């Protein structure tokens, strides 16, 4: 059942250690089939080296396991919360990539300092508020999704397809899981560059609005002209 979806999720998960975004088993990717209301996600605690397509676990948007011999990733409720809250996304990625996680642990957004950032994100990569003790004790992973959704009340999740969970690490998303992986790479790269820029010029201000908008909109939205025309 849904073999293609499992393959998509599997390939995305393998890209995470390949791109250096994952150490040990800290991270996961999932792919959603919105028509069926089912997503494929990495099994919990399985080494990337040992991972097989058939190990991917299918879960529905009510949170019930549909297929798979393993338990799904412990972060599954966060992925489900994002799929329910962000209607246009089809893939979610979570990593603890080191530079983005450094900002998350510090509770600071990743500032938009240059055009590389602006190519992917229409402004800073925001950080959530800290979770309360009650939220942490309750359904922790679901509540993690809730603080992300809360942070995006006034933001478009496709204009800023990444977030830092305070004291934790980044989550990224996209229309496909492959896109969500690309965003995870971009977020880590931008975090790294931001740290270096701030070292060169402490107190450096964000990129000028005109330049931010130029770079974002030449790649995204109705006026986009970057790259090759899609048929
Ligand atoms: Zn995590």
């Amino acid at each position: 059942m849904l073999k293609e979806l499992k393959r998509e999720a599997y390939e995305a998960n393998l890209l995470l250690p390949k791109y250096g975004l994952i150490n040990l088993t800290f991270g996961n990717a999932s792919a959603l089939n919105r028509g069926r209301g089912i997503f494929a996600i990495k099994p919990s605690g399985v080494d990337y080296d040992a991972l097989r397509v058939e190990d991917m676990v299918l879960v529905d948007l009510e949170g019930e396991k549909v297929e798979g011999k393993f338990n799904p990733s412990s972060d599954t409720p966060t992925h489900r919360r994002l799929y329910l809250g962000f209607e246009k996304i089809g893939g979610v990625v979570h990593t603890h990539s080191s530079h983005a996680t450094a900002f998350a642990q510090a509770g600071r957004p990743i500032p938009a300092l240059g055009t590389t950032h602006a190519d992917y994100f229409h402004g800073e990569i925001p950080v959530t508020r800290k979770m309360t003790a009650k939220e942490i004790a309750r359904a922790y992973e679901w509540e993690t999704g809730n603080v992300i959704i809360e942070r995006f009340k006034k933001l478009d999740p496709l204009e800023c397809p990444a977030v830092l969970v305070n004291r934790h690490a980044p989550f990224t998303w996209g229309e496909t899981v492959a896109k969500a992986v690309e965003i995870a790479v971009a977020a880590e790269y931008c975090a790294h560059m931001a740290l270096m820029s701030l070292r060169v010029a402490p107190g450096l201000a964000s990129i000028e609005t005109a330049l931010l908008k130029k770079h974002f909109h030449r790649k995204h939205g109705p006026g986009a002209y970057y790259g090759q025309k899609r048929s």
Side-chain angles (χ1 to χ4, degrees):
M1 184 189 178
L2 295 168
K3 208 164 175 211
E4 252 331 287
L5 192 68
K6 282 190 190 174
R7 174 162 295 284
E8 239 183 278
Y10 168 76
E11 285 171 357
N13 274 288
L14 287 196
L15 286 175
L16 304 181
K18 190 182 155 208
Y19 286 137
L21 299 175
I22 298 269
N23 290 311
L24 307 174
T25 59
F26 300 141
N28 37 69
S30 71
L32 172 72
N33 180 321
R34 202 168 277 278
R36 304 283 295 270
I38 290 173
F39 59 99
I41 191 163
K42 182 178 169 283
S44 183
V46 174
D47 276 343
Y48 284 90
D49 292 342
L51 208 57
R52 297 170 310 165
V53 180
E54 54 268 36
D55 297 336
M56 295 296 118
V57 185
L58 295 179
V59 179
D60 68 22
L61 286 176
E62 279 74 57
E64 295 298 321
K65 182 160 103 173
V66 176
E67 188 186 289
K69 69 177 165 98
F70 292 112
N71 290 328
S73 160
S74 49
D75 292 322
T76 299
T78 314
H79 289 241
R80 185 165 79 86
R81 184 69 192 92
L82 294 180
Y83 287 133
L84 291 172
F86 299 154
E87 287 164 5
K88 288 182 182 158
I89 68 169
V92 172
V93 166
H94 175 48
T95 80
H96 288 196
S97 67
S98 53
H99 297 90
T101 300
F103 279 92
Q105 291 188 166
R108 299 284 169 83
I110 302 172
L113 297 180
T115 63
T116 322
H117 185 115
D119 281 338
Y120 286 93
F121 309 101
H122 195 242
E124 66 179 22
I125 298 177
V127 59
T128 67
R129 66 166 170 81
K130 282 186 181 164
M131 293 171 74
T132 65
K134 222 180 197 173
E135 287 166 337
I136 294 164
R138 213 154 45 190
Y140 172 60
E141 292 80 6
W142 176 258
E143 296 294 348
T144 299
N146 277 335
V147 294
I148 297 172
I149 300 295
E150 182 188 308
R151 185 64 187 80
F152 274 74
K153 223 182 259 172
K154 288 181 192 156
L155 295 173
D156 179 341
L158 288 181
E159 292 213 331
C160 183
V163 72
L164 303 175
V165 175
N166 207 312
R167 290 282 194 208
H168 185 171
F171 279 83
T172 64
W173 49 80
E175 282 160 326
T176 63
V177 69
K179 193 70 194 171
V181 171
E182 185 187 338
I183 299 292
V185 174
E188 172 58 14
Y189 184 75
C190 290
H192 193 176
M193 299 296 280
L195 279 173
M196 292 201 289
S197 299
L198 289 168
R199 209 181 202 177
V200 174
L204 178 66
S206 295
I207 187 173
E208 294 67 25
T209 305
L211 192 54
L212 174 86
K213 288 191 179 302
K214 179 71 187 170
H215 268 264
F216 187 82
H217 291 299
R218 65 182 198 150
K219 273 193 155 182
H220 309 273
Y225 60 86
Y226 178 90
Q228 306 304 316
K229 269 214 173 70
R230 282 181 217 168
S231 53

